[in-house]
Amino acid sequence: DQQVKQNSPSLSVQEGRISILNCDYTNSMFDYFLWYKKYPAEGPTFLISISSIKDKNEDGRFTVFLNKSAKHLSLHIVPSQPGDSAVYFCASVGGAQKLVFGQGTRLTINP
Amino acid sequence: DTAVSQTPKYLVTQMGNDKSIKCEQNLGHDTMYWYKQDSKKFLKIMFSYNNKELIINETVPNRFSPKSPDKAHLNLHINSLELGDSAVYFCASSHRDRGYGYTFGSGTRLTVV
């Protein structure tokens, strides 16, 4: 009963190109979404978020798109840099400030 | 000046033992959490406390008991450890008035042998 799913466990992208990470959710009550980035042996760090009243939020090289009708969001990184290599988690806000996470996508940026 | 610190970073112990993981945050946040990352890499919430009050208690065996002596600390005590408890446990904190961006600790890798 995973309510947040990231169906690609891994993604490999050439440096300088666009990285697109995808996330699907099932609970139509979710109204706030976040992306976290995680390096090995560290905790996840907050990257970018979006409210359900928007369909796009941009912060520098990072843009998150939300398609509520499809219950789908994506994270675009452009241009991709080697330091972007990490595991990316999508999360939605459940009740009581609880975050529900996807299982993560490992992004590798190749030089 | 670590924002959310948890100790120990690694913990190897035998089945049946009792162990504790400590967490402290110096961000002035009012809510703290414990998350478990299992072998399939899912991050799942276990508990959350707001100002020392238990807010979320997911379906977790009662061998796991959180304790919050004050709003800057949330410790996790585990009794009678089992092999299936092996995982990485993350502490996190947030502030109700500052949005949903959690700050996570660096994790405690628990291995039960």
Side-chain angles (χ1 to χ4, degrees):
Chain A
D1 64 337
Q2 272 304 114
Q3 298 185 71
V4 178
K5 296 179 184 179
Q6 295 174 254
N7 292 318
S8 298
S10 63
L11 176 68
S12 187
V13 174
Q14 204 76 16
E15 182 179 357
R17 299 284 184 111
I18 184 170
S19 296
I20 300 176
L21 297 103
N22 294 303
C23 177
D24 297 296
Y25 62 97
T26 57
N27 191 336
S28 56
M29 298 300 290
F30 287 155
D31 61 2
Y32 199 86
F33 306 89
L34 306 92
W35 285 93
Y36 279 79
K37 176 180 180 179
K38 184 183 181 303
Y39 292 119
E42 294 183 13
T45 55
F46 170 72
L47 193 57
I48 192 169
S49 63
I50 188 166
S51 164
S52 61
I53 61 173
K54 294 186 174 183
D55 54 17
K56 176 183 174 182
N57 188 27
E58 193 172 350
D59 184 1
R61 297 185 298 113
F62 302 91
T63 303
V64 56
F65 294 92
L66 175 62
N67 182 334
K68 281 185 294 183
S69 60
K71 295 192 183 71
H72 177 84
L73 63 156
S74 60
L75 175 68
H76 293 211
I77 307 173
V78 57
S80 300
Q81 299 174 354
D84 296 330
S85 293
V87 177
Y88 289 78
F89 289 95
C90 167
S92 303
V93 179
Q97 289 191 288
K98 177 177 76 172
L99 289 186
V100 180
F101 285 88
Q103 66 269 51
T105 297
R106 180 177 301 279
L107 175 66
T108 303
I109 306 300
N110 302 308
Chain B
D1 60 343
T2 305
V4 179
S5 60
Q6 50 183 114
T7 55
K9 193 168 180 64
Y10 300 96
L11 182 54
V12 181
T13 188
Q14 288 189 320
M15 279 175 53
N17 282 351
D18 302 339
K19 290 292 179 186
S20 293
I21 307 172
K22 295 186 176 181
C23 180
E24 176 182 4
Q25 55 95 4
N26 62 5
L27 297 165
H29 286 170
D30 61 0
T31 308
M32 296 184 72
Y33 312 81
W34 277 108
Y35 273 77
K36 178 181 179 181
Q37 186 177 31
D38 60 23
S39 57
K40 295 182 180 178
K41 304 303 181 187
F42 285 105
L43 271 164
K44 292 186 178 177
I45 192 165
M46 301 173 69
F47 302 102
S48 82
Y49 271 74
N50 177 265
N51 286 323
K52 301 196 299 175
E53 180 184 350
L54 181 65
I55 300 298
I56 295 174
N57 184 350
E58 294 291 293
T59 307
V60 175
N62 56 15
R63 298 181 294 104
F64 290 77
S65 54
K67 287 192 170 46
S68 181
D70 54 61
K71 67 177 187 178
H73 295 83
L74 180 62
N75 304 323
L76 183 64
H77 189 75
I78 315 171
N79 289 329
S80 303
L81 278 155
E82 300 177 357
L83 292 176
D85 297 332
S86 296
V88 182
Y89 293 84
F90 288 98
C91 177
S93 70
S94 69
H95 199 290
R96 193 172 294 223
D97 296 334
R98 299 179 202 167
Y100 300 105
Y102 288 10
T103 301
F104 280 87
S106 58
T108 296
R109 181 174 293 279
L110 171 65
T111 304
V112 183
V113 297

